[in-house]
Amino acid sequence: MLSRLMSSSIRSLDRECNCTVRLLDDSEYTCTIQRDAKGQYLFDLICHHLNLLEKDYFGIRYVDPDKQRHWLEFTKSIAKQMKSQPPFTMCLRVKFYPPDPAALREEITRYLVFLQVKRDLYHGRLLCKTSDAALLAAYILQAEIGDYDPGKHPEGYSSKFQFFPKHSEKLERRIAEIHKTELIGQSPETSELNFLQKAQMLETYGVDPHPCKDVSGNPAFLAFTPFGFTVLQGNRRVHFLTWEEVTKLKFEAKTFHIYANQKEDRKIILTYFAPTPEACKHLWKCGVENQAFYKLEKSSQVRTVSSSNLFFKGSRFRYSGKVAKEVMEQSAKIKRDPPEIHRAGMVPSRSCPSITHGPRLTSVPRTRRRAVHISIMEGLESLRDSAHSTPVRSVSHGDSIMASRGHMADGGEASTSAVISDEAYSPSDSVLPTPVAEHGADMPLARHLNGAPCSIDEEKESEERASKERQAAEFGPSKRSLGMVKSRQSPDVEELNKFILSVLRLFLVTIGLLFTLLLLLIMLTESDLDIAFLRDIRKTPEFQQFHFEYFCPLRRWFACKLRWMGSLVVSK
């Protein structure tokens, strides 16, 4: 009896697993779930913990063992999606940014969106001009520490906060000036709302960048926003398509296609190449979900979409949530007392800190600054070929400016692109999952600035790799030029291979259909159906010859074999 109880308890433990979810304020929510629990169950637990009703804007993100990011699908089992052993670690993030944050019904929802956009600003995903950056940072300062108090806030107090990947002393002085003079008396709620309204006007609001390459091999970032699909290169937005213009999203292996209809029935197809097939599929699924959420009027209009051509199954996916208009209508029906909000205040964050854990770049001596810059770029180069959904590519500011000028000189669509920042768009921190382990206060400066985990051994490897690259640059310019030619020709070769493969698939499918139709016709003609069409076929000499010379002997052979097998079974 005791052994039976112990075995049942062990089986129940095997069916349970621990799950940790990092929230937007960097606190952690830990729970125990059944192994067959679906994503919706965990999401409901988190929303209940946060007292959140407007929950359709949020999602749960996780990273698989190959370091590929995913959104947790609520209709599927958690354990089957994670592809790893428990305990599971995930993050709560804003999945669909509200087009108008001021229209959100509850303050708790605005606060969580504020934390997400603040995180985007720190990690370099939200870009803006210097003047806008100073105002956004001043709003954050007002929301976190309140009104300026000379007794509590000494000279240079704004330098203790890290709002952006890079700071300058001039920008810090401007932030403090706005906080002292223009924001006096604003409550945290008002400052957060003003911050969101200002951020919502920026072109990179709601951007979750997916790094790809265009057909020429140039790096680009693809993103989906509340207003449409956008492509960023350097510090410019080179393409923007509204959700009404986008007609189809398709991918095959590492190739991603966007089909759109613009004004005057102008049809365009944009093609980009993702680092891995998994990253391309993640990009496609994000696009399908964003298009359904922002474009459709009702969730009943959502259809299952396929990534492939007509005759091939490919990947199939269906968005399972509500659409934006339904979320707004449901939010208008909320009638309850506003829930209490526990703001984090000045507690430093582990992945998006408000207070820096090391010296600013401007406070480092000139020689030290050059060494830090080299270590940062080496760290980025070491991550360039990794399997993240958003791999990092090291692009210097000067190169991006030269590229932008080249686009302007060439004319075309680049001439109409809009400058979105004074810096090149290189959201290095967004490529990495939010760390769960607590980082020490002695974090290396290179790691703190670009978000890349960088140990001493990795720095040595980066130095060795950099020396090898310098030697290759000195002794092998011809090899490098040949490699560049091959890289430029690789998209054409891939397109040719995909075309040949598609033709072969179409041929095999056609042969299979013809063979199936032939078998069906033979079965109908040999049956007892009395139809004029079949009677005419049976009277033809060709059918008579086929019937007596092939079909009847084959039927007798099968009947003989069946009788033999039946007698064998009966004898046994």
Side-chain angles (χ1 to χ4, degrees), residues 19 22-24 88 110 118 148 157 169 177 181 234 249 294 301 554:
C19 184
R22 172 70 64 82
L23 305 180
L24 283 162
F88 301 137
R110 279 193 297 272
K118 172 186 166 186
Y148 170 71
Y157 68 99
E169 294 181 357
E177 179 183 351
T181 59
L249 302 173
Y294 294 112
Q301 298 175 346
L554 186 63

Side-chain angles (χ1 to χ4, degrees), residues 263-323:
K263 296 180 180 179
E264 300 177 356
D265 294 334
R266 179 191 172 200
K267 296 182 179 181
I268 62 172
I269 302 176
L270 302 179
T271 301
Y272 292 91
F273 303 95
T276 63
E278 292 76 15
C280 193
K281 184 176 181 179
H282 174 65
L283 171 64
W284 173 71
K285 292 173 70 173
C286 289
V288 170
E289 289 185 315
N290 277 270
Q291 186 179 25
F293 183 82
Y294 294 112
K295 182 178 181 179
L296 300 181
E297 298 287 331
K298 298 179 180 179
S299 57
S300 59
Q301 298 175 346
V302 177
R303 297 289 181 266
T304 301
V305 295
S306 176
S307 64
S308 62
N309 294 325
L310 178 63
F311 294 104
F312 322 117
K313 182 179 179 181
S315 296
R316 298 174 63 83
F317 180 69
R318 187 178 191 275
Y319 172 61
S320 59
K322 297 184 179 67
V323 300

Side-chain angles (χ1 to χ4, degrees), residues 18-72:
N18 293 327
C19 184
T20 301
V21 180
R22 172 70 64 82
L23 305 180
L24 283 162
D25 60 355
D26 286 318
S27 63
E28 293 181 353
Y29 175 77
T30 304
C31 62
T32 301
I33 61 174
Q34 298 292 324
R35 276 189 171 272
D36 57 350
K38 294 185 178 181
Q40 187 66 51
Y41 175 76
L42 176 61
F43 186 64
D44 291 339
L45 284 179
I46 298 172
C47 293
H48 179 74
H49 170 73
L50 296 173
N51 204 0
L52 178 66
L53 293 183
E54 295 175 291
K55 57 187 180 181
D56 296 278
Y57 297 105
F58 302 88
I60 299 176
R61 172 171 277 165
Y62 68 94
V63 181
D64 65 15
D66 296 327
K67 298 181 180 180
Q68 170 64 47
R69 295 190 304 172
H70 302 274
W71 288 106
L72 189 69

Side-chain angles (χ1 to χ4, degrees), residues 136-174:
L136 290 172
Y139 282 136
I140 296 175
L141 206 58
Q142 179 70 21
E144 291 195 356
I145 67 175
D147 293 338
Y148 170 71
D149 186 349
K152 297 180 181 179
H153 307 136
E155 186 68 23
Y157 68 99
S158 63
S159 64
K160 292 182 171 60
F161 292 81
Q162 186 79 20
F163 306 104
F164 316 102
K166 296 181 181 179
H167 271 213
S168 67
E169 294 181 357
K170 181 179 179 181
L171 178 60
E172 290 169 359
R173 289 194 297 269
R174 179 56 182 159

Side-chain angles (χ1 to χ4, degrees), residues 394-462:
S394 175
V395 181
S396 66
H397 179 66
D399 293 340
S400 65
I401 296 298
M402 292 297 294
S404 300
R405 290 177 181 175
H407 286 307
M408 292 179 65
D410 294 338
E413 292 189 17
S415 63
T416 60
S417 59
V419 177
I420 58 176
S421 173
D422 300 325
E423 299 290 336
Y425 193 78
S426 181
S428 58
D429 283 44
S430 67
V431 308
L432 299 172
T434 302
V436 177
E438 185 75 45
H439 299 315
D442 55 346
M443 182 184 299
L445 180 60
R447 177 178 178 177
H448 179 69
L449 288 177
N450 60 29
C454 185
S455 62
I456 297 176
D457 295 334
E458 291 172 341
E459 289 181 358
K460 292 180 179 179
E461 293 175 1
S462 298

Side-chain angles (χ1 to χ4, degrees), residues 97 101-102 110-122 126 128 132-143 163-164 183 186-202 205:
Y97 287 72
R110 279 193 297 272
Y111 175 65
L112 294 176
V113 176
F114 164 77
L115 293 178
Q116 176 68 67
V117 180
K118 172 186 166 186
R119 181 185 299 270
D120 295 342
L121 185 68
Y122 172 77
L126 180 67
C128 54
D132 295 332
L135 181 58
L136 290 172
Y139 282 136
I140 296 175
L141 206 58
Q142 179 70 21
F163 306 104
F164 316 102
L183 305 181
Q186 282 193 14
S187 63
E189 298 84 357
T190 305
S191 298
E192 291 164 3
L193 178 59
N194 291 335
F195 172 86
L196 290 175
Q197 288 179 325
K198 182 64 179 178
Q200 183 262 338
M201 298 169 61
L202 301 176
Y205 168 74

Side-chain angles (χ1 to χ4, degrees), residues 380-394:
L380 292 177
E381 287 290 339
S382 66
L383 285 175
R384 181 177 59 186
D385 299 326
S386 64
H388 292 289
S389 64
T390 51
V392 181
R393 179 175 177 84
S394 175

